Amino acid sequence: ALLASPQRPLWLAQHLTSTMSRAYDKNQVKNVRLFVSIMAEIAALVKTTQHLHRIQSLPEPWSYQRHMHFTTQVWLSILPLALLPSLHVATPVLATAIGFVVYKLDDISLELVNPFGLDRSDLGICLSGDALQQETLALVEAYARQCDSAGIENGGKVREELWEAWGGKPPND
């Protein structure tokens, strides 16, 4: 279900919240401070994810993009005329170098408009979600091992109940 979700961090936060709520309702929570701290972290995760989604889905107006590209083209076409009186022979070289820098800055601005995605230069928000999933999985397994080593009655049953509450064992992907 996690891998099929279009918003994996939000799905994970919702799943963590419901799992923690069920554990609290069944009086399985021993440390209330830890429970409150985890719920606060989940709320911060949701807030951050919502902010990142808002950044991703906020488009730059098309008319603004066209206006900026047109203005850049005009400025770059007039630049050699402005440089010619002072640079003479070096005008084409310097104008080309300045044009290259301006076009690369335009590429950077396009990347900043939508920083999340699947390109090589994009920020991997899904990688952060995967790391969070792995850390949560490690916590659940550590808790199950602790139950086994502490000699808690039915330690294996506790492990299976944890996986059941989590929604089943994750696939090895």
Side-chain angles (χ1 to χ4, degrees):
L2 173 66
L3 296 177
S5 173
Q7 290 290 328
R8 292 195 300 184
L10 290 177
W11 185 92
L12 184 62
Q14 187 273 333
H15 194 68
L16 284 171
T17 303
S18 64
T19 302
M20 296 293 290
S21 297
R22 283 194 308 266
Y24 186 78
D25 292 342
K26 292 180 181 179
N27 292 326
Q28 293 175 338
V29 175
K30 305 290 187 243
N31 189 341
V32 177
R33 285 184 181 171
L34 177 63
F35 177 77
V36 170
S37 174
I38 290 173
M39 292 303 274
E41 290 297 323
I42 292 171
L45 172 71
V46 169
K47 186 176 181 180
T48 302
T49 303
Q50 288 171 342
H51 287 302
L52 291 173
H53 183 67
R54 187 176 305 129
I55 289 171
Q56 182 181 14
S57 63
L58 184 66
E60 194 172 275
W62 184 83
S63 59
Y64 175 75
Q65 289 178 354
R66 293 295 111 209
H67 175 71
M68 287 305 296
H69 287 137
F70 178 73
T71 305
T72 303
Q73 291 293 338
V74 169
W75 185 78
L76 287 175
S77 63
I78 295 173
L79 180 65
L81 300 175
L83 294 176
L84 188 59
S86 60
L87 295 177
H88 302 292
V89 179
T91 298
V93 174
L94 190 61
T96 303
I98 291 173
F100 178 77
V101 169
V102 168
Y103 282 128
K104 287 300 151 187
L105 286 175
D106 185 49
D107 289 344
I108 291 171
S109 70
L110 290 175
E111 188 66 34
L112 290 176
V113 167
N114 187 9
F116 311 111
L118 302 175
D119 293 341
R120 182 176 221 164
S121 61
D122 290 336
L123 298 176
I125 193 69
C126 290
L127 296 176
S128 300
D130 291 343
L132 177 65
Q133 181 185 7
Q134 292 300 323
E135 290 173 13
T136 307
L137 178 64
L139 287 172
V140 168
E141 287 179 343
Y143 178 73
R145 279 194 302 276
Q146 182 183 6
C147 288
D148 287 343
S149 66
I152 294 177
E153 190 175 310
N154 297 325
K157 185 177 180 191
V158 169
R159 181 185 302 264
E160 293 305 317
E161 287 176 359
L162 277 171
W163 282 121
E164 183 182 324
W166 185 252
K169 276 196 163 188
N172 292 330
D173 53 352

